[in-house]
């Protein structure tokens, strides 16, 4: 819980400082928000995922098809080409037997939770910018959240569905 509070406090202080020093319309502002939002999957995803029932992460076959239509497989291929997936695999416990799927499932839920928090940060700051009259800035704040958080969330949920299918057999 301490990690969550520290991370949220740091993001709040940095965002407020950025807003007051350069303003949301500055080109560096969305970039800085994007970098800060990457702290959530790394630092608080696992802590929050422990508090969320694992059933909350299950998706229907319809959602799975929708995610595929939206290009989640293409996104996964891009991550594979740039070697991001190889880096992530090194951060996780190896899956060598069926019982390891439970640990992998938790890692995926943690990543989805962390990316969900990161997406929420973008949405909240974009709404603040919009309410302050910065329409273009709010769009630029939201733009990086799609590849940085929305697609990773969908990818984690698709992979969790695959693990559930394997575990059921």
């Amino acid at each position: 819980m301490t990690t969550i509070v520290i991370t949220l406090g740091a993001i709040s202080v940095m965002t407020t400082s950025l807003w007051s020093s350069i303003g949301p319309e500055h080109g560096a502002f969305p970039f800085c928000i994007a970098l800060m939002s990457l702290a959530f999957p790394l630092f608080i995803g696992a802590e929050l995922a422990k508090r969320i029932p694992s059933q909350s992460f299950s998706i229907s076959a319809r959602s799975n098809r929708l995610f595929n239509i939206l290009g989640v497989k293409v996104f996964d291929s891009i991550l594979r080409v740039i070697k991001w997936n190889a880096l992530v695999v090194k951060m996780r416990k190896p899956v060598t037997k069926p019982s390891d799927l439970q640990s992998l499932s938790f890692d995926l839920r943690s990543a989805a939770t962390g990316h969900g928090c990161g997406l929420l940060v973008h949405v909240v700051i974009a709404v603040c910018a919009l309410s302050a009259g910065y329409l273009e800035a709010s769009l630029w704040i939201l733009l990086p959240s799609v590849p940085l958080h929305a697609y990773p969330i969908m990818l984690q949920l698709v992979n969790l569905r695959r693990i559930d299918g394997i575990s059921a057999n």
Side-chain angles (χ1 to χ4, degrees):
M1 189 63 156
T2 306
T3 308
I4 295 170
V5 172
I6 290 171
T7 305
L8 288 173
I11 296 278
S12 299
V13 167
M14 288 187 285
T15 302
T16 304
S17 299
L18 272 172
W19 187 292
S20 61
S21 62
I22 63 173
E25 71 280 0
H26 192 283
F29 189 83
F31 179 74
C32 292
I33 297 301
L35 286 177
M36 286 188 292
S37 71
L38 289 174
F40 286 98
L42 296 172
F43 297 117
I44 67 172
E47 191 65 36
L48 285 174
K50 291 176 190 173
R51 294 164 166 67
I52 301 172
S54 58
Q55 302 88 328
S56 302
F57 295 92
S58 63
I59 60 170
S60 66
R62 179 178 284 167
S63 295
N64 197 42
R65 284 191 302 275
L66 174 64
F67 292 169
N68 286 330
I69 290 168
L70 291 173
V72 170
K73 287 183 180 180
V74 173
F75 179 74
D76 190 32
S77 297
I78 291 168
L79 293 179
R80 200 171 304 114
V81 167
I82 65 170
K83 307 273 192 264
W84 182 258
N85 288 347
L87 176 68
V88 170
V89 165
K90 289 178 184 175
M91 293 190 297
R92 292 184 176 146
K93 181 182 168 200
V95 177
T96 56
K97 54 190 180 289
S99 61
D100 293 338
L101 290 175
Q102 188 173 8
S103 173
L104 177 60
S105 179
F106 178 75
D107 288 344
L108 294 174
R109 290 193 314 270
S110 298
T113 302
H115 281 293
C117 291
L119 180 61
L120 183 63
V121 165
H122 281 268
V123 170
V124 167
I125 295 171
V127 167
C128 290
L130 186 60
S131 67
Y134 299 107
L135 173 63
E136 190 176 337
S138 66
L139 295 173
W140 280 107
I141 292 166
L142 281 177
L143 183 66
S145 69
V146 174
L148 290 179
H149 300 298
Y151 273 89
I153 293 167
M154 291 187 282
L155 182 59
Q156 306 312 323
L157 295 175
V158 167
N159 286 335
L160 280 166
R161 183 173 169 79
R162 288 175 55 207
I163 288 174
D164 289 345
I166 293 169
S167 299
N169 293 332

